[in-house]
Amino acid sequence: MSTGLVNSWSVPGSLTVATNLNVGGTITGTFTASSTSNISTTGSLSAGSLAITGNSTIAGTETVTGLFTASNGISCMGAITTTGNSSVGGNETVSGTFTSTGPLVAKNGETITGNSSISGNQTIGGTQQVTGVFTAVAGIVNSANESVAGTLTVTGLATFSGGTSNPGNSSVTGNHTVGGTQTVTGVTYAKGGVVNSGNETVSGTLGVTGATTLGSLTASGPVSVTGNETVSGTLAVTGTTTLAAPVTVSVPGSVIPVPAWTALTYASGFSTYSGSAYAAASYYVDPFSRVWLRGLMAGPAVTTSTACVTIPSAISPKYQTRWVNAASTASGTDCIVEYYIQPGATAVNINLIVNTTPNGQFYCLEGNYALN
């Protein structure tokens, strides 16, 4: 068949197109477009199998029950349904619904403004954009970016070498691997596990029953992980976090930062014990809201409750706190003293509790207490 325009075409057997086929209506049958030929129809296309080495433009619906191969690309203004395998060497653009019960291979990219449902494996070499619901029963491998405006559902392995953007929901029952940034504004559920070398941002709920490895994680909703979670960057969750297995957070430096000690102000008569080997009275607040005190002090004899240092109001405890430590007399006799801070107070007080009254040798301030 050479170049020409017909209103409709029904092929009882098979049709080989050497150049171009232009049909104004519906074409039905088995087609093979050889060389660099094109198939163009303003109606619908229904075929047992379809092989096109040129371009395919369908204004209506395209239905293929066998093998569908487009070496260059395909553009369909309606819907595409294929019950066999689907292979596109160029770009694939579908304005309606795309349904494939066999595997789909799109070497460049895929753009679907409707829904996409694939029962086989899906392999995309470029960017995949779906504005409706995307369902892959077997699995998906995408070497570029994935953008789904509706719900993303994958029951097999999901691999995205680029990143994913999904303002709807994301559900993966296999393993989920993302090489770039993953952004989901709905619910994310991965039954197998998640490996993300980029960033993970979830505005809804993140639920993972397998292992989770993330560059960083930001979730404004609840996070639930029943496997292991490893975060090499920042873990920020504003909702509830539920973990049934250990969590490992690896950031530059230590997980708990090196303490930055802040000097305390001595009360009248107290000072740092002489000698460079002894620390001045100071404090540090750890990430768990616990205050740590250190320092070796020289001071007067204590016979009644006496303030030794003052503390900022920011580290005044909610409840009365007490601890004991060592002291000594000038002659070297050991004593035990009690330190205490009243709720809301800004002074640490000393009480003698055991042995001879200390009279200026030293007082060891070491201790810690909870802020709340």
Side-chain angles (χ1 to χ4, degrees):
M1 173 65 67
S2 61
T3 303
L5 173 64
V6 294
N7 291 328
S8 62
W9 196 273
S10 178
V11 183
S14 61
L15 175 67
T16 300
V17 182
T19 53
N20 298 323
L21 176 63
N22 298 317
V23 179
T26 301
I27 55 178
T28 305
T30 300
F31 304 95
T32 301
S34 60
S35 184
T36 58
S37 56
N38 302 318
I39 288 184
S40 175
T41 173
T42 58
S44 301
L45 185 149
S46 177
S49 62
L50 180 63
I52 307 168
T53 57
N55 295 316
S56 177
T57 302
I58 311 296
T61 299
E62 180 176 14
T63 303
V64 182
T65 57
L67 174 65
F68 168 53
T69 304
S71 300
N72 280 359
I74 182 169
S75 177
C76 182
M77 301 300 104
I80 293 182
T81 301
T82 172
T83 58
N85 296 326
S86 180
S87 176
V88 182
N91 293 317
E92 182 175 24
T93 303
V94 183
S95 297
T97 299
F98 176 71
T99 303
S100 176
T101 58
L104 168 67
V105 178
K107 293 184 179 179
N108 282 1
E110 182 180 37
T111 301
I112 301 172
T113 57
N115 297 324
S116 178
S117 177
I118 297 107
S119 299
N121 292 317
Q122 184 173 23
T123 303
I124 310 294
T127 297
Q128 183 178 35
Q129 294 179 326
V130 181
T131 58
V133 176
F134 171 60
T135 302
V137 176
I140 181 169
V141 177
N142 189 346
S143 58
N145 296 318
E146 176 92 3
S147 178
V148 181
T151 299
L152 170 67
T153 303
V154 183
T155 58
L157 173 68
T159 302
F160 307 102
S161 299
T164 68
S165 176
N166 187 2
N169 298 323
S170 177
S171 177
V172 181
T173 57
N175 292 321
H176 193 180
T177 302
V178 182
T181 298
Q182 182 176 28
T183 303
V184 182
T185 57
V187 176
T188 299
Y189 182 73
K191 189 175 182 181
V194 176
V195 177
N196 189 349
S197 58
N199 299 318
E200 176 101 1
T201 301
V202 182
S203 298
T205 299
L206 171 65
V208 183
T209 58
T212 305
T213 302
L214 306 170
S216 69
L217 170 64
T218 301
S220 57
V223 174
S224 177
V225 181
T226 58
N228 294 320
E229 181 168 22
T230 301
V231 182
S232 58
T234 301
L235 173 65
V237 182
T238 57
T240 301
T241 302
T242 303
L243 301 165
V247 178
T248 302
V249 179
S250 176
V251 296
S254 302
V255 173
I256 299 177
V258 176
W261 294 94
T262 301
L264 290 169
T265 301
Y266 289 108
S268 178
F270 287 86
S271 62
T272 303
Y273 191 76
S274 62
S276 60
Y278 306 113
S282 51
Y283 74 92
Y284 162 67
V285 182
D286 69 21
F288 307 103
S289 297
R290 195 163 190 87
V291 180
W292 297 80
L293 301 174
R294 72 177 184 183
L296 195 67
M297 305 178 296
V302 172
T303 58
T304 185
S305 179
T306 303
C308 59
V309 293
T310 59
I311 61 173
S313 59
I315 65 168
S316 181
K318 182 177 181 180
Y319 304 103
Q320 186 183 87
T321 182
R322 296 174 179 268
W323 71 96
V324 296
N325 214 319
S328 177
T329 67
S331 61
T333 302
D334 292 332
C335 306
I336 296 177
V337 293
E338 176 192 51
Y339 297 90
Y340 72 92
I341 309 173
Q342 296 287 5
T346 57
V348 178
N349 294 282
I350 301 176
N351 277 329
L352 175 68
I353 58 174
V354 176
N355 214 336
T356 307
T357 301
N359 60 359
Q361 181 68 2
F362 71 76
Y363 298 89
C364 184
L365 186 61
E366 300 281 350
N368 65 87
Y369 60 89
L371 273 177
N372 300 309

